[in-house]
Amino acid sequence: MSDYSEAQISEWGQQNEEQRFELFLGLTVKHKQVWALSDDEGCLIVDSDGEQLLPVWPLEVFASNAAVEEWQGLKPLAISLDDWQEKWLPGMENDVIDVAVFPDLEGSSEVISAQELAVNTKLQKKKAPMA
């Protein structure tokens, strides 16, 4: 994504979980997209100690950068913010799939329920200036 410099992207990737969570909210509302990883069989869902997690990122570059090692071969999948809020989050809540928000390259991320993320996203949209 050419909106941001490589230095800015690198800096964001180095932030702690809480900072990346806030950045995720701001960027997804600004760009009206969420990014996941997928292949022909569907979206990547990670099992973390029996908990099902969907890793998501605020920009395509971060999802692309995560598609290494065991995730190699997966492709970034753009999800419109409207679909994310109206279909994905309610469906994930029903299926008891939590969200791993903006994992770094070591896999560290803020984990939040789909319902909590829906509330946080709505609050962020109210704070964001209208585009």
Side-chain angles (χ1 to χ4, degrees), residues 26-42:
L27 289 172
T28 56
V29 167
K30 178 180 178 179
H31 295 287
K32 298 177 176 49
Q33 282 187 322
V34 172
W35 290 87
L37 289 174
S38 70
D39 61 16
D40 294 339
E41 297 175 20

Side-chain angles (χ1 to χ4, degrees), residues 22-120:
E22 292 299 322
L23 186 62
F24 172 86
L25 290 174
L27 289 172
T28 56
V29 167
K30 178 180 178 179
H31 295 287
K32 298 177 176 49
Q33 282 187 322
V34 172
W35 290 87
L37 289 174
S38 70
D39 61 16
D40 294 339
E41 297 175 20
C43 272
L44 170 69
I45 302 289
V46 177
D47 186 309
S48 176
D49 298 323
E51 188 176 22
Q52 300 294 301
L53 304 174
L54 173 72
V56 293
W57 294 268
L59 299 173
E60 181 180 16
V61 65
F62 293 115
S64 293
N65 289 346
V68 295
E69 296 176 10
E70 74 265 23
W71 296 351
Q72 191 168 0
L74 296 174
K75 303 281 184 247
L77 172 71
I79 305 163
S80 76
L81 192 56
D82 288 342
D83 278 354
W84 178 246
Q85 290 184 279
E86 294 166 16
K87 299 174 185 169
W88 286 71
L89 290 173
M92 290 167 57
E93 187 66 28
N94 288 339
D95 294 340
V96 194
I97 297 172
D98 288 336
V99 186
V101 178
F102 197 171
D104 64 14
L105 293 176
E106 283 78 48
S108 174
S109 68
E110 188 86 21
V111 174
I112 188 169
S113 74
Q115 183 178 17
E116 286 179 89
L117 186 54
V119 169
N120 278 279

